[in-house]
Amino acid sequence: MLRVYKSGRLERPLDVPPVAPGLDAATGVDSKDVHLGDYSARLYLPPAAATRDGKLPIIVYVHGGGFVAESAASPNYHRFLNLLAAACPAVGVSVEYRLAPEHPLPAAYDDCLSALEWVLSAADPWVSVHGDLGRVFLAGDSAGANICHHLAMHHPEVPVPRLRGAVLIHPWFWGSEAVGGEARDPAGRARGAGLWMYACPGTTGMDDPRMNPMAPGAPGLERLACDRVMVCAAEGDFLRWRCRAYAEAVAAVRGQAAVELLETEGEGHVFHLFKPECDKAKEMLDRMVAFVNADTA
């Protein structure tokens, strides 16, 4: 994801040209970018906003990329947000946060927290006119799912109801002690957190509560400021055991009914971005839609 030269020059070899916002012919979803200083947000408005009575849920989405790569405007994320906004339907807000190493962590956490506060302020007309501030969800994948956990643990003190839910897709959590079938040798443990150490030079290590929410001394998961949590894991992902452990830890303090775990067989990390037309990606999208709409069924 990141190539660092001795001169200090950086390359992101997997990055592709960004996609402009606008009307998506396949889904009918419209989108626009809103620039907010250090960060920006890409908003998505489904066609149902013009035809459905009542306001729509709001999904604040945080992209992955190891804290060092990717963008809300990348083709894969733009396509997924169009699909998600249309399927729910929901107002989508995809956060374009600052990347490490140019902006070391906690810059990404701070940007996303500011973006959530901005959404909850209903400063944008798409949010104020069409979004239901009583049905705000967080969603993200990989490093973005890690950030979503951070947001749910540090929910802004604003006069709105709790977050309705959070969807963590293949979240990047780690720790010094292995869980499940994770590598147990020191080199394997270090590999799982190497990029984290690089992106967050001020970290205390791989048991930093931001990387390991289940670490001894980490803030209790009962502080999660959302009613329900959905965790997605993939069989071919080395993070799958950590995903399961997180879901079990949340269920232990919030009750099993507050947690939904989706384990996808035969697929790898963030497969839904690269193979959106495959049956299992469609199943995951359907489960997310059901999770968002569960309280209105």
Side-chain angles (χ1 to χ4, degrees):
M1 290 188 289
L2 189 68
R3 183 178 294 132
V4 184
Y5 291 87
K6 292 179 180 179
S7 66
R9 181 168 62 92
L10 300 173
E11 287 183 357
R12 292 177 169 86
L14 300 181
D15 280 7
V16 296
V19 176
L23 185 64
D24 179 61
T27 61
V29 174
D30 200 4
S31 57
K32 65 178 181 179
D33 289 338
V34 180
H35 299 281
L36 299 161
D38 288 334
Y39 66 96
S40 63
R42 178 163 290 191
L43 275 63
Y44 294 83
L45 192 66
T51 60
R52 178 172 292 198
D53 292 334
K55 295 189 174 185
L56 303 175
I58 302 168
I59 301 175
V60 179
Y61 196 91
V62 186
H63 71 78
F67 303 106
V68 303
E70 279 292 0
S71 165
S74 76
N76 286 339
Y77 283 106
H78 184 64
R79 176 177 56 201
F80 182 67
L81 264 294
N82 278 319
L83 292 171
L84 181 62
C88 284
V91 176
V93 181
S94 187
V95 185
E96 179 78 348
Y97 55 86
R98 290 172 292 169
L99 300 176
E102 297 94 332
H103 305 281
L105 292 172
Y109 292 119
D110 293 343
D111 289 351
C112 292
L113 192 57
S114 295
L116 178 57
E117 291 175 334
W118 175 78
V119 169
L120 294 175
S121 75
D124 186 88
W126 281 13
V127 175
S128 62
V129 174
H130 301 291
D132 183 350
L133 291 178
R135 290 189 291 156
V136 177
F137 293 81
L138 300 172
D141 62 89
S142 195
N146 175 297
I147 294 174
C148 286
H149 166 79
H150 180 81
L151 298 184
M153 293 292 287
H154 298 82
H155 183 231
E157 295 296 331
V158 292
V160 297
R162 287 165 58 89
L163 299 169
R164 238 357 128 74
V167 180
L168 276 57
I169 304 170
H170 313 159
W172 183 22
F173 299 133
W174 201 243
S176 59
E177 298 295 325
V179 298
E182 289 179 352
R184 282 170 162 70
D185 62 289
R189 303 310 307 153
R191 280 195 300 274
L195 192 56
W196 160 257
M197 304 290 211
Y198 179 72
C200 189
T203 184
T204 56
M206 63 182 78
D207 285 328
D208 184 317
R210 293 170 293 183
M211 178 49 61
N212 185 4
M214 292 88 75
L221 295 174
E222 65 276 2
R223 284 181 47 182
L224 285 167
C226 54
D227 296 332
R228 297 177 292 121
V229 177
M230 177 179 176
V231 181
C232 301
E235 182 184 24
D237 186 359
F238 80 103
L239 298 172
R240 63 190 180 278
W241 295 286
R242 191 71 48 168
C243 297
R244 189 179 303 150
Y246 177 83
E248 292 171 352
V250 175
V253 297
R254 300 291 295 275
Q256 191 61 53
V259 181
E260 181 175 340
L261 176 62
L262 172 62
E263 297 183 274
T264 303
E265 296 181 354
E267 298 292 350
H269 192 63
V270 297
F271 72 94
H272 64 292
L273 296 175
F274 306 109
K275 301 191 295 182
E277 298 300 323
C278 77
D279 289 342
K280 291 177 180 177
K282 292 177 180 177
E283 178 192 5
M284 194 182 82
L285 180 63
D286 289 344
R287 292 282 292 272
M288 290 180 66
V289 169
F291 180 83
V292 169
N293 291 313
D295 57 350
T296 60

